[in-house]
Amino acid sequence: MEKKETYKIILSGGGTGGHIYPAIAIANELKSRFPDAEFLFVGANDRMEMEKVPQAGYDIKGLWISGIQRRLTLKNLSFPFKVISSLWKARKIIKSFKPNVAIGTGGFASGPLLQMAAYYNIPSLIQEQNSYPGITNKLLSKKAKKICVAYDGLERFFPKEKIIKTGNPVRQGLLDIDNKTVEAKDFFNLKHGKHTLLVIGGSLGSRRINELIEKELDFFDTQNVQILWQCGKLYYQQYKIYNNTNNVQVFEFLNNMDYAYAAADMVISRAGASSVSELCIVGKPVIFIPSPNVAEDHQTKNAMAIVENHAALLIKEEDLEADFENNFLQLVASPEKQKELGQNIKKIALINATKDIVDEVEKLLESK
């Protein structure tokens, strides 16, 4: 067997934080086990992984790849050329780096990279975050050795013998937030004894959630609610004016998510797979507002997997005008309901996901 310290590990995941942070978490765990291993990430040019991965201390190479638009656009005309270009570059990267294993956590670049890894007989592992996989991972699953999933029932889409239910990797700092509540509220200069609402719309922000929060600021004030509002990079210039408002703090991006979750009594969130997994571990009452603009309506399916266990509330964007205030009032007025939702969502959490995934990677490394 090859010496552990010579392992070369290639990872691909990007486009959104939901694909990037799981890949980084997996790499960090692998690095702790194999300190002398070499790591290389592959992402999509001009996407956020090209910034976030180097910040985490890893090298990354970019491919000229993007998703196909659902409507007819000029961008779609370039899609076949992007695929050919990305496959060619992924082939060059694989031949040059010579990885022992390839790991894909989703995003545009995962397809070409794992396809080329399979062509060169490099064992690959897919980490599927969603309850309803996208077309790329469905295609890749035929050649992948292992498929780590976070939800039951995915044998409808993947070969059953390859599936391991591990959960989604999350930031390690979230595992002990119960002990940080007072410290976290002080960190954000929040008032003790006042309801704290955390609003998170994904790494880039959510236009519709931001519009909702802006519209409901007076309503929140009447309910004795203070707000930590991550509005996202795309919207910060528009909403930062509310930092001058009592009981509202607006952030482009929250770097101290452990404190943000610890300080929160309630959360309003999109339902991206990583956010859902984090919220299960955090164990706070959640109102999910899924994005309707993602492939195969992933977010609604992710949220429904939690709601069906009486562990969260869900309001569709189209129902916000009619239903939001009534749903929020019922939640904020009922400590019993808050406790029930918090306890139920925590039962769904898979807290050892990163270690369990890396156990499977290690088996692939040792089988070579």
Side-chain angles (χ1 to χ4, degrees):
M1 189 181 74
E2 189 174 1
K3 288 183 180 179
K4 289 182 179 180
E5 58 266 23
T6 65
Y7 286 149
K8 291 186 172 186
I9 298 160
I10 200 162
L11 304 99
S12 182
T16 66
H19 295 311
I20 298 165
Y21 295 120
I24 291 171
I26 291 167
N28 288 343
E29 175 64 21
L30 280 163
K31 196 171 187 177
S32 73
R33 297 191 194 188
F34 309 119
D36 296 318
E38 289 182 52
F39 294 87
L40 179 64
F41 279 70
V42 176
N45 286 334
D46 304 323
R47 303 291 291 197
M48 64 186 289
E49 58 264 31
M50 303 308 288
E51 175 189 343
K52 298 296 182 186
V53 168
Q55 284 175 2
Y58 296 101
D59 291 333
I60 185 166
K61 292 186 180 292
L63 305 180
W64 184 47
I65 189 69
S66 62
I68 194 161
Q69 306 291 309
R70 285 196 247 179
R71 58 192 185 282
L72 190 63
T73 69
L74 286 173
K75 280 189 175 179
N76 281 346
L77 298 177
S78 66
F79 182 72
F81 302 101
K82 288 181 177 180
V83 171
I84 293 165
S85 165
S86 296
L87 285 167
W88 184 255
K89 188 165 184 185
R91 177 177 176 269
K92 285 178 68 178
I93 291 168
I94 292 278
K95 286 185 73 175
S96 170
F97 187 65
K98 296 183 173 63
N100 300 96
V101 69
I103 300 163
T105 60
F108 305 135
S110 280
L113 183 82
L114 266 66
Q115 190 68 33
M116 278 297 133
Y119 180 79
Y120 285 103
N121 294 317
I122 292 153
S124 63
L125 177 145
I126 293 170
Q127 197 266 313
E128 172 56 63
Q129 290 120 29
N130 291 291
S131 59
Y132 194 94
I135 189 166
T136 303
N137 276 355
K138 287 181 197 170
L139 293 171
L140 292 171
S141 69
K142 295 177 175 63
K143 294 178 180 176
K145 295 286 187 187
K146 309 255 184 176
I147 304 162
C148 294
V149 302
Y151 295 92
D152 294 319
L154 269 76
E155 60 275 1
R156 291 177 294 154
F157 310 107
F158 298 139
K160 187 176 180 180
E161 68 279 4
K162 297 181 181 181
I163 295 173
I164 306 105
K165 188 180 177 186
T166 57
N168 289 326
V170 300
R171 292 168 263 210
Q172 288 303 106
L174 304 184
L175 299 177
D176 61 347
I177 66 158
D178 291 345
N179 304 318
K180 298 179 182 175
T181 304
V182 173
E183 185 183 341
K185 291 202 172 187
D186 289 342
F187 177 81
F188 288 110
N189 294 313
L190 293 164
K191 298 184 179 90
H192 294 267
K194 201 173 175 74
H195 302 298
T196 301
L197 170 66
L198 172 63
V199 181
I200 41 179
S203 47
L204 297 177
S206 158
R207 180 185 59 80
R208 187 65 189 91
I209 289 180
N210 288 335
E211 289 173 350
L212 172 76
I213 300 306
E214 181 180 43
K215 174 178 171 285
E216 301 291 354
L217 286 176
D218 289 341
F219 165 72
F220 290 133
D221 210 33
T222 65
Q223 300 306 312
N224 197 32
V225 172
Q226 56 195 346
I227 304 170
L228 296 176
W229 178 6
Q230 179 182 287
C231 67
K233 183 177 183 178
L234 300 178
Y235 302 97
Y236 183 67
Q237 293 305 316
Q238 182 179 351
Y239 292 104
K240 67 180 181 180
I241 57 168
Y242 293 107
N243 272 324
N244 302 321
T245 311
N246 279 340
N247 305 317
V248 181
Q249 296 181 47
V250 184
F251 301 87
E252 176 181 318
F253 190 80
L254 279 161
N255 290 310
N256 302 89
M257 280 307 295
D258 55 339
Y259 277 178
Y261 283 130
D265 298 302
M266 294 161 287
V267 182
I268 291 173
S269 177
R270 283 302 200 195
S274 287
S275 296
V276 172
S277 294
E278 288 190 352
L279 288 161
C280 288
I281 284 170
V282 165
K284 299 290 175 82
V286 185
I287 298 175
F288 285 119
I289 304 174
S291 170
N293 306 313
V294 293
E296 282 103 7
D297 201 19
H298 282 159
Q299 291 205 4
T300 300
K301 295 180 175 76
N302 291 343
M304 283 305 301
I306 308 301
V307 172
E308 285 165 359
N309 285 285
H310 309 289
L313 303 178
L314 184 155
I315 309 175
K316 292 186 175 181
E317 279 195 0
E318 64 204 53
D319 299 327
L320 285 172
E321 292 294 328
D323 295 348
F324 177 75
E325 288 191 6
N326 187 42
N327 274 265
F328 189 83
L329 276 172
Q330 289 182 29
L331 184 60
V332 78
S334 174
E336 296 80 16
K337 183 70 172 174
Q338 292 173 37
K339 185 177 179 183
E340 177 196 355
L341 292 177
Q343 288 176 341
N344 286 349
I345 198 169
K346 206 155 192 174
K347 289 175 189 171
I348 302 169
L350 296 166
I351 62 172
N352 296 315
T354 309
K355 289 183 172 61
D356 291 345
I357 292 165
V358 172
D359 285 346
E360 298 302 324
V361 175
E362 195 168 348
K363 288 175 192 173
L364 292 179
L365 288 167
E366 291 172 352
S367 69
K368 277 290 280 181

